[in-house]
Amino acid sequence: MKKLTVLALAGAALMFTACNDKKETVKDAQEVAAKTGEAYKVDLATSNVNWKAFHKGGFAPRWGTLNLKSGEITVENDAVTSGDFVIDMTTLKVDPASVTEADKKPADLEAHLKNEDFFNVSKNPTSDFKITSVADLTGELPKDAVAGANKTVSGNLTLLGKTLNVSFPAKVTVDEGKAAIEAKFTVNRADWGIKFGTDETDPAEWMISKDIEIGINVNAAK
């Protein structure tokens, strides 16, 4: 049985939050959008992925970042038509400000997140997201949607080698040779088979929220 000290680290591990009351739509992988229009290269220095996590009940929040390894957005008639982004899992960072316990260290948590208990970075050094569609936003927004959201972005998200399609509201802008996508959404880690405990009755599993809050900030230019 895994020790509670390890379990405490696990609460931060999976980028999950129990605070959102609406999950994004997740389904089987879809056909990737055709790359029509002009290619814009992602600015790796100003683009990243943010994550946030909790134990169930909102305890022990943790947060941090991941860097993009590469990326491209295509634009036609001032509209984003496609995009693909490779996430460098080896860059996973825990913000030291989120680790307030005296006996916990951000570096130890980072190492734990990267090992075989979670993202197994040695075997899965990258994850990726490939846009399948960009449509005008309709319907009610979830509470965690970014301000100014104007589009629904759908794409194939690959984690631990498993690919599922997720849709979420996003703020998408194209202006004077630059394009940007900003979004924040919540999905269920179990959909990708990410489990720390051996089964649902294992305290190592049920004490961790299954929700994952992901923030996307992508900037690209011609």
Side-chain angles (χ1 to χ4, degrees):
M1 181 178 293
K2 297 177 176 65
K3 295 180 180 180
L4 290 179
T5 53
V6 175
L7 182 60
L9 289 174
L14 301 171
M15 312 182 233
F16 310 123
T17 173
C19 297
N20 190 42
D21 62 356
K22 182 177 181 181
K23 309 298 183 296
E24 309 311 326
T25 302
V26 175
K27 54 187 177 182
D28 291 339
Q30 305 293 303
E31 183 178 355
V32 175
K35 293 186 175 183
T36 60
E38 190 168 4
Y40 287 36
K41 186 177 181 179
V42 169
D43 181 357
L44 301 181
T46 62
S47 303
N48 66 7
V49 176
N50 299 308
W51 60 267
K52 194 171 185 179
F54 294 87
H55 275 75
K56 284 187 176 179
F59 296 105
R62 305 283 198 263
W63 56 87
T65 59
L66 288 155
N67 294 339
L68 296 181
K69 187 173 184 177
S70 63
E72 181 181 82
I73 293 173
T74 58
V75 175
E76 187 173 44
N77 297 325
D78 292 327
V80 171
T81 58
S82 74
D84 57 77
F85 318 100
V86 177
I87 304 166
D88 187 350
M89 298 302 294
T90 68
T91 66
L92 189 152
K93 296 293 182 184
V94 175
D95 189 330
S98 72
V99 183
T100 58
E101 298 90 339
D103 60 338
K104 303 294 187 298
K105 295 180 180 180
D108 292 340
L109 176 53
E110 288 170 11
H112 192 52
L113 293 176
K114 293 176 181 179
N115 74 19
E116 61 277 5
D117 285 335
F118 295 104
F119 296 104
N120 204 355
V121 170
S122 63
K123 291 187 176 180
N124 300 277
T126 62
S127 297
D128 61 63
F129 181 78
K130 298 180 180 181
I131 291 177
T132 57
S133 67
V134 180
D136 290 337
L137 181 63
T138 60
E140 182 182 357
L141 288 175
K143 290 182 178 180
D144 62 353
V146 296
N150 59 349
K151 299 289 183 180
T152 296
V153 173
S154 298
N156 293 335
L157 175 62
T158 300
L159 295 169
L160 287 184
K162 183 175 181 178
T163 303
L164 293 172
N165 190 269
V166 58
S167 298
F168 51 84
K171 180 180 180 181
V172 180
T173 57
V174 178
D175 184 48
E176 296 184 350
K178 296 182 179 181
I181 300 175
E182 181 184 358
K184 186 169 66 173
F185 58 97
T186 301
V187 293
N188 187 328
R189 62 181 169 86
D191 290 336
W192 281 265
I194 302 173
K195 297 179 180 179
F196 181 52
T198 56
D199 57 44
E200 290 296 321
T201 64
D202 187 337
E205 177 63 18
W206 58 256
M207 287 187 68
I208 304 170
S209 174
K210 285 185 170 59
D211 294 342
I212 172 172
E213 183 180 287
I214 302 173
I216 297 175
N217 299 284
V218 175
N219 298 298
K222 292 182 181 180

